[in-house]
């Protein structure tokens, strides 16, 4: 149902952790995700802790789903001395190629406790269905 578009994404994530460099708009960082089928829906859950709901952008064009987000720094006053900053800031992005069997017209998105959950229904044409078997009359040739 889903295909990764960048095989080197995991290497970028490890390099980011080692160097401490966060994503930029020109080279966004990846966001961790889970994907699974639940009944008649395909569910994608993306971790975006600390990201404001209005800083998340979700687009779908044909079969390409794109999620972009930005975690902005917390505003601090002049009298604040920062001792440690480990939480990544900057831009995050994930692109997923969706199968034709998913109904991209009815994607639902919820954001709760730092997790963006996308629910994509399985298209009706992809669901299993029974095929009726016609009687003998359907197989007789005309004029016999």
């Amino acid at each position: 149902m889903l295909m990764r578009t960048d095989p080197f994404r995991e290497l970028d994530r490890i390099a980011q952790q080692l160097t401490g460099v966060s994503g930029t708009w020109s080279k966004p960082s990846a966001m961790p995700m889970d994907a699974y089928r639940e009944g008649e829906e395909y569910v994608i859950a993306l971790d975006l802790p600390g990201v404001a709901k209005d800083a998340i952008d979700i687009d779908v064009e044909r079969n390409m789903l794109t999620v972009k987000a930005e975690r902005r720094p917390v505003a601090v006053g002049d009298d604040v001395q920062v001792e440690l900053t480990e939480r990544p800031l900057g831009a995050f992005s994930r692109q997923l190629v969706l199968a034709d069997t998913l109904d991209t017209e009815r994607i639902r998105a919820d954001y709760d406790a730092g997790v963006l959950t996308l629910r994509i229904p399985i298209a009706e044409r992809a669901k299993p269905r029974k095929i009726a078997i016609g009687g003998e009359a359907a197989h007789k040739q005309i004029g016999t």
Side-chain angles (χ1 to χ4, degrees), residues 87-141:
R87 296 173 49 216
L89 302 174
F92 302 87
S93 178
R94 195 74 186 242
Q95 282 193 316
L96 305 167
V97 177
L98 303 176
D100 290 334
T101 57
L102 298 176
D103 186 352
T104 58
E105 297 293 321
R106 300 185 324 160
I107 296 175
R108 292 187 333 264
D110 296 304
Y111 188 58
D112 184 41
V115 178
L116 175 65
T117 304
L118 303 173
R119 294 185 173 276
I120 310 167
I122 306 297
E124 289 297 321
R125 68 181 179 277
K127 293 179 183 175
R129 59 193 173 281
K130 294 286 185 185
I131 306 297
I133 300 173
E136 286 185 34
H139 297 291
K140 287 186 180 180
Q141 292 182 352

Side-chain angles (χ1 to χ4, degrees), residues 78-96:
D78 293 335
D79 61 339
V80 175
Q81 181 178 341
V82 178
E83 297 292 330
L84 179 65
T85 336
E86 291 182 345
R87 296 173 49 216
L89 302 174
F92 302 87
S93 178
R94 195 74 186 242
Q95 282 193 316
L96 305 167

Side-chain angles (χ1 to χ4, degrees), residues 3-70:
M3 191 168 64
R4 288 182 182 241
T5 57
D6 186 359
F8 299 104
R9 183 76 76 171
E10 188 66 16
L11 291 174
D12 288 343
R13 185 188 64 76
I14 292 168
Q16 176 188 355
Q17 285 180 338
L18 293 173
T19 62
V21 177
S22 297
T24 64
W25 281 115
S26 61
K27 183 143 177 69
S29 298
M31 55 189 84
M33 124 183 152
D34 291 334
Y36 53 93
R37 183 171 175 166
E38 185 178 272
E40 298 299 316
E41 294 182 315
Y42 203 69
V43 181
I44 300 170
L46 299 134
D47 281 350
L48 293 169
V51 174
K53 185 177 175 180
D54 64 346
I56 301 171
D57 185 39
I58 307 166
D59 291 316
V60 65
E61 183 177 338
R62 293 190 198 171
N63 293 21
M64 180 67 73
L65 175 73
T66 304
V67 178
K68 295 180 182 176
E70 182 180 13

